[in-house]
Every structure is written in C-alpha cells, then in structure tokens.
Amino acid sequence: MERPAWAPRSIDISMPSVSRMYDYYLGGSHNFEVDREAARKAMEFMPGLPKIMQANRAFMRRAVRFAADEGIDQFLDIGSGIPTFGNVHEVAQSARPGAHVLYVDHDPVAVAHSEAVLRDDDDADVLAADLLKPHEILASPQLQRLIDLNRPVALLLVAILHFVEDADDPYGAVAELRDALAPGSLLIVTHASYEGIPLPPERAEGAVDVYKNIRNPLIMRSREQIARFFEGYDMVEPGLVPMPDWRPDTASEDEDPYSFSGFGGVGRTA
C-alpha cells in the first residue's frame, strides 16, 4: 500500500482507525482503503452511519454556538479527530472572535492535520494526548498557553466516550476534568446507544462487531449510563436527548430516522 504524502511515517496504514473511518463517513479524503473497507462493512449492518455522523457534527456546531452565546471563549475539544469543514475553532471564532481552542487527540493523522490547519492561527493549537490521562492534558504547555482554568471553559467530549470501555474508567477521567474547570463551564457530550437506532438491536450489533474486530470496541451505553457523565453538572435544556432534538435550527421531524441514534447533551458546572 502506497503511503500518501500527508500520512505521518509513524502510523500503521494497514490498520483501520476510527477517526479516519469517521472522516470517511463525513465525506472526507484523509482515510485509507483499509478504513473505507471497515466503514463499508459496518454500513452493511447499519447503512445510516453517515447520517448519524452528520447529526453528531451538526449538534457539535449548535452546542459550540450556544457556548459562545453564553460568553465562553475557551474550548477544549478532546477526541477532536481529523479536521473537516465547520471545526470547533471555525464555529467558535466566527461567533466569538479571538476565542481560544485546544484540540486533543491521540491519532497521529488527526494531530498532523490539525497542526497543518492551525499553522496560522495563534488562538488555536493541537495536543497529542489521551482522554484517559487528564493530568497530562491539564499540565501541557499547549493548555497553559491557551486555556485559563480560572475562567469558564467549554469541554467537548464528542463521539469519544463510546470508545472507552468501563474497565478503563471513563467516568473517573471525566470527573477529573470536571474538577479542574471553573464554575460556569460547560460539558458537551455525544454518545452512541442502541436506543433510537431504527434497526433491531441484533442487526446493529453487526456494526458494533466491526469496531470490536479492529480493536476499537464501540460501547453502546444506555441513556441512564450516559447521563452519569454529567454528574456534578446542571443539565442545559432540553437535557440529554437524541442529537437532532437539542436546540434544532430546523424542525427535527425532517431529519433522517438514523439521526436520532444515540444522545447529545450539555451540562453546566455550578
């Protein structure tokens, strides 16, 4: 397999990556055939996966605009993935010029492309780090430069927590990040779930198995389990809901049925 010029030498281009599969679902070009093959296999079981990803991105943009309207000008996006049109920094800086944004990801392709996109933006940066090591994120020079933890921050954990198994204690990592945030900060979360998928669960499980087979288990949590990530936060109306139902720009009944798979929500620290 020929290595594209944009692919860092350190990555294994023979192994699918969930961030590059996500890029493929969104119509991006920074993915390999091995990613496309895995994504197409998942879509054999759940053909609406691209619609779910589009709903996820649309929710993220609405939540970022909400945060900016609430006066927040600092954004910490963990599990940010490969940059595509309508990134957090584009939405945030459009709504609130001068907003600071720090992207965090452990995928080398996502980090490399973020560096390229942000090269001329002094108000945004990217950090190669892992959600499960919050102390490394919080102590990083990139965060120290861009984010003042004494002021409210919008923390984005969008489409990442469902790739963390309970054995790795995602609730503990989210709580550690929460405890570092100033009052008035926001937590923005989306998470996959069997609830809302317009398919029998056993059919959807076929797509989940694809992720398990590429050593990136997809953890489908219930609404109640997802709500636990918001412990210590007051939920912003309308609460934890299917993504198109969270402060929609247009009538949510016009959305594709797959868009209602999983949940999104925003919480505020007291």
Side-chain angles (χ1 to χ4, degrees):
M1 184 186 306
E2 184 177 350
R3 182 181 297 270
W6 50 263
R9 302 297 303 178
S10 59
I11 68 166
D12 179 359
I13 63 176
S14 67
M15 176 61 65
S17 152
V18 293
S19 64
R20 298 194 305 266
M21 289 170 67
Y22 186 82
D23 179 68
Y24 172 74
Y25 292 133
L26 290 174
S29 59
H30 295 107
N31 48 77
F32 308 130
E33 180 54 33
V34 68
D35 307 307
R36 297 188 286 274
E37 182 180 348
R40 288 191 292 263
K41 192 173 296 183
M43 289 168 63
E44 290 176 10
F45 298 97
M46 201 184 299
L49 277 167
K51 293 295 183 182
I52 298 173
M53 306 312 168
Q54 290 165 19
N56 186 82
R57 293 288 295 186
F59 165 88
M60 178 274 288
R61 289 192 287 268
R62 296 196 304 276
V64 168
R65 287 198 301 269
F66 169 79
D69 290 344
E70 291 289 294
I72 291 180
D73 61 2
Q74 305 184 103
F75 297 81
L76 176 57
D77 184 1
I78 302 178
S80 50
I82 294 169
T84 57
F85 177 75
N87 291 315
V88 171
H89 75 281
E90 292 173 341
V91 177
Q93 292 173 356
S94 175
R96 189 163 285 275
H100 286 188
V101 178
L102 179 61
Y103 293 116
V104 180
D105 208 290
H106 61 70
D107 185 312
V109 171
V111 172
H113 278 283
S114 297
E115 288 173 342
V117 167
L118 302 173
R119 187 168 292 127
D120 299 321
D121 190 337
D122 291 336
D123 293 329
D125 205 347
V126 61
L127 169 67
D130 192 326
L131 165 65
L132 296 177
K133 298 178 179 177
H135 56 286
E136 293 185 4
I137 297 172
L138 296 168
S140 68
Q142 292 92 328
L143 186 138
Q144 301 294 323
R145 181 178 77 85
L146 284 173
I147 306 294
D148 179 0
L149 293 174
N150 294 310
R151 297 194 302 110
V153 175
L155 169 62
L156 289 91
L157 299 174
V158 173
I160 180 176
L161 291 169
H162 50 230
F163 290 115
V164 185
E165 298 180 87
D166 286 345
D168 292 321
D169 192 19
Y171 296 103
V174 173
E176 186 173 340
L177 289 164
R178 177 201 63 213
D179 292 345
L181 301 179
S185 294
L186 298 178
L187 172 64
I188 299 170
V189 167
T190 64
H191 198 296
S193 176
Y194 285 122
E195 298 175 39
I197 296 178
L199 284 174
E202 59 272 16
R203 177 79 177 170
E205 282 174 9
V208 173
D209 286 342
V210 171
Y211 284 89
K212 187 184 301 181
N213 291 338
I214 64 171
R215 302 201 296 272
N216 279 282
L218 179 58
I219 312 302
M220 305 289 270
R221 295 187 172 95
S222 67
R223 184 182 182 280
E224 183 179 1
Q225 290 170 321
I226 298 166
R228 282 184 55 202
F229 289 112
F230 288 97
E231 288 182 359
Y233 291 88
D234 296 323
M235 294 302 295
V236 171
E237 288 294 331
L240 185 62
V241 295
M243 293 176 290
D245 289 334
W246 197 88
R247 299 177 177 246
D249 295 325
T250 57
S252 61
E253 58 264 26
D254 297 334
E255 295 281 347
D256 185 281
Y258 273 99
S259 300
F260 295 86
S261 307
F263 295 96
V266 177
R268 179 184 281 112
T269 54

